[in-house]
Amino acid sequence: MSHANTPRNADPAALAQFDAEFGLQKADEATVLQERIEASEFGRRCRHEWAAQKRREKTEHVIGEVLQVTLAPGAGALAAWKTKGGFPVGALINGVVGTGAKALSLYQPENATLRVIGKAGKVLLHSQISITTHNHIEDKDQ
């Protein structure tokens, strides 16, 4: 059915009456309300995701700190391991593993487990450097 021959009324009063009767203004209000609801939901999801991310970061930090405290005395004990000929096997292991962990820590991988391993493992290198420095100072005093 064609409406080509239907006369069009562009009178402002008629248009206002049409809006009042058929709710075009209400449709605009409904659209705005829908957009506000969607924006509110998006904000809620973002807050939820940010809170979850903060919890993951906190857990990663705490685990890393605990591992560092645990590895420090382990590095000291490992540094004492020498072959019968006096070769410092433990010091070498501390240096190699610690250097690898340091490189991993500098790289900052996306994987949280690898980040924690890198941050905690570099304690082996730091501890070995301290032990070696201490030993050299003591050797010079004697």
Side-chain angles (χ1 to χ4, degrees):
M1 177 189 227
S2 175
H3 297 288
N5 294 331
T6 304
R8 296 194 175 114
N9 188 348
D11 177 47
L15 291 174
Q17 180 184 0
F18 182 80
D19 281 346
E21 287 178 21
F22 294 102
L24 292 180
Q25 187 175 13
K26 299 286 188 214
D28 289 341
E29 290 173 8
T31 301
V32 168
L33 182 60
Q34 179 64 31
E35 289 171 354
R36 286 182 181 170
I37 290 169
E38 289 170 1
S40 177
E41 175 61 20
F42 177 74
R44 187 195 65 73
R45 277 194 322 257
C46 286
R47 282 190 306 276
H48 178 73
E49 288 172 14
W50 289 335
Q53 178 65 26
K54 282 295 243 188
R55 285 190 303 274
R56 285 190 300 272
E57 288 172 0
K58 176 74 173 176
T59 301
E60 180 181 325
H61 177 72
V62 169
I63 290 170
E65 292 294 322
V66 169
L67 285 174
Q68 288 178 33
V69 168
T70 305
L71 285 174
L78 188 58
W81 180 27
K82 295 180 181 179
T83 63
K84 290 182 182 182
F87 183 77
V89 176
L92 183 64
I93 292 171
N94 277 340
V96 170
V97 173
T99 300
K102 184 69 154 182
L104 187 61
S105 181
L106 288 171
Y107 175 67
Q108 284 291 308
E110 290 292 319
N111 184 295
T113 303
L114 292 177
R115 276 194 310 271
V116 169
I117 289 170
K119 288 178 183 178
K122 65 185 178 179
V123 168
L124 297 173
L125 177 64
H126 298 167
S127 296
Q128 189 58 51
I129 291 170
S130 296
I131 292 164
T132 303
T133 303
H134 177 266
N135 291 343
H136 283 297
I137 292 170
E138 277 196 348
D139 288 345
K140 286 185 180 185
D141 288 343
Q142 295 174 358

